[in-house]
Amino acid sequence: AITLIAEAKPGRMSSSIIKDLGEHPEDKKPVRVMKGQYGPYIKYKSLNATIPEEKDPLELNMEEALILIEKRKEYDKTKKKKEKEINMSIENKIRELSIILPKAADPVGSYLATKISGKLLFISGQISINDKGELIKGKLGKELNTEAGYNAAKRCGLSIIAQAKKACSDDLNRIKSCIKLTGFVNSTDNFIEQPKVINGASDLIASVFGDLGMHTRAAVSTNSLPLGVAVEVDAIFELN
């Protein structure tokens, strides 16, 4: 049986025609075997279907190509459906978790709260603010314990989601994945549980976005944060 390798990633800049199989029987559009940066593939209109490694591209005929084209169409259709289901579940998850997102705060200074570059969304550091809009201040290891720090980081995570939603015109479906969180913890020299504190933000992002929310991370100790807040977290997301 001929199977489709999950992702076809032809190198467009270096692609060349290996073999012209003729016209597609339905619309008379050309069907070609191409050589790309990532290996041979079938080119039909805007569709690229990978040729299995065990198959010699020079021996590929139109019948086999049509099978691979249909498999690629079905794969793309299934992938889009799955992504739609995952994305729709983000808003549902927020409601399910009874999460109330805070208002996305405007920046105070000569910088942006968010910035999109290509397919990356950068979110400036969000400081710890409670549900009443009050700053969560204090130093971990002195005024605050790890649990209080965890909750403060969770509030930062809520602000990150609010900023992401605003940047995406209220459409969290645009979020493809969370790339990285960087957390800063206002802590004493002897406090060593910064990772446990930043888990508050990480756990929230993972619970809301599921697999899309799994990210890389840094948890950094600092001797002071703006306005004396306990925690600050920034984020990078990938967009669809």
Side-chain angles (χ1 to χ4, degrees), residues 22-69:
E23 298 178 343
H24 194 286
E26 293 182 0
D27 58 13
K28 306 303 179 183
K29 298 294 183 181
V31 178
R32 297 185 174 117
V33 178
M34 308 290 292
K35 180 181 180 181
Q37 180 180 351
Y38 299 95
Y41 65 98
I42 297 166
K43 180 72 175 178
Y44 166 62
K45 295 194 292 190
S46 61
L47 182 147
N48 301 314
T50 302
I51 298 172
E53 293 181 1
E54 65 272 14
K55 183 66 180 178
D56 185 343
L58 293 175
E59 295 181 357
L60 195 75
N61 58 43
M62 178 63 83
E63 182 179 355
E64 292 172 324
L66 293 176
I67 292 173
L68 290 173
I69 288 170

Side-chain angles (χ1 to χ4, degrees), residues 18-159:
I18 296 177
K19 185 178 182 181
D20 195 332
L21 296 175
E23 298 178 343
H24 194 286
E26 293 182 0
D27 58 13
K28 306 303 179 183
K29 298 294 183 181
V31 178
R32 297 185 174 117
V33 178
M34 308 290 292
K35 180 181 180 181
Q37 180 180 351
Y38 299 95
Y41 65 98
I42 297 166
K43 180 72 175 178
Y44 166 62
K45 295 194 292 190
S46 61
L47 182 147
N48 301 314
T50 302
I51 298 172
E53 293 181 1
E54 65 272 14
K55 183 66 180 178
D56 185 343
L58 293 175
E59 295 181 357
L60 195 75
N61 58 43
M62 178 63 83
E63 182 179 355
E64 292 172 324
L66 293 176
I67 292 173
L68 290 173
I69 288 170
E70 289 306 309
K71 284 183 176 291
R72 180 68 200 195
K73 286 181 179 178
E74 186 61 30
Y75 169 79
D76 288 342
K77 182 178 179 181
T78 301
K79 183 180 178 182
K80 287 179 180 179
K81 182 180 178 181
K82 184 177 180 180
E83 287 177 347
K84 184 178 180 180
E85 289 173 351
I86 291 174
N87 289 331
M88 287 179 65
S89 70
I90 294 173
E91 289 288 357
N92 292 337
K93 196 66 177 180
I94 289 175
R95 288 190 289 270
E96 180 185 315
L97 295 172
S98 299
I99 290 174
I100 299 176
L101 294 177
K103 179 182 178 181
D106 294 325
V108 182
S110 300
Y111 67 95
L112 299 173
T114 61
K115 185 167 185 176
I116 295 174
S117 179
K119 290 190 176 183
L120 295 180
L121 167 62
F122 297 84
I123 299 179
S124 294
Q126 302 298 301
I127 58 176
S128 49
I129 302 175
N130 66 22
D131 56 1
K132 297 178 182 179
E134 302 167 338
L135 296 175
I136 301 175
K137 297 182 177 183
K139 190 177 288 290
L140 275 294
K142 188 175 181 182
E143 295 91 1
L144 301 175
N145 61 21
T146 301
E147 182 180 359
Y150 178 97
N151 291 329
K154 183 176 181 180
R155 293 298 306 178
C156 296
L158 289 172
S159 293

Side-chain angles (χ1 to χ4, degrees), residues 179-225:
I179 302 297
K180 185 177 183 180
L181 297 182
T182 302
F184 302 90
V185 182
N186 184 358
S187 50
T188 63
D189 291 344
N190 295 325
F191 186 79
I192 59 172
E193 296 190 330
Q194 289 81 8
K196 291 183 179 180
V197 170
I198 301 304
N199 281 346
S202 291
D203 290 347
L204 176 74
I205 296 298
S207 64
V208 169
F209 292 96
D211 290 343
L212 305 182
M214 298 307 295
H215 52 271
T216 61
R217 196 186 77 177
V220 183
S221 174
T222 179
N223 63 356
S224 179
L225 282 173

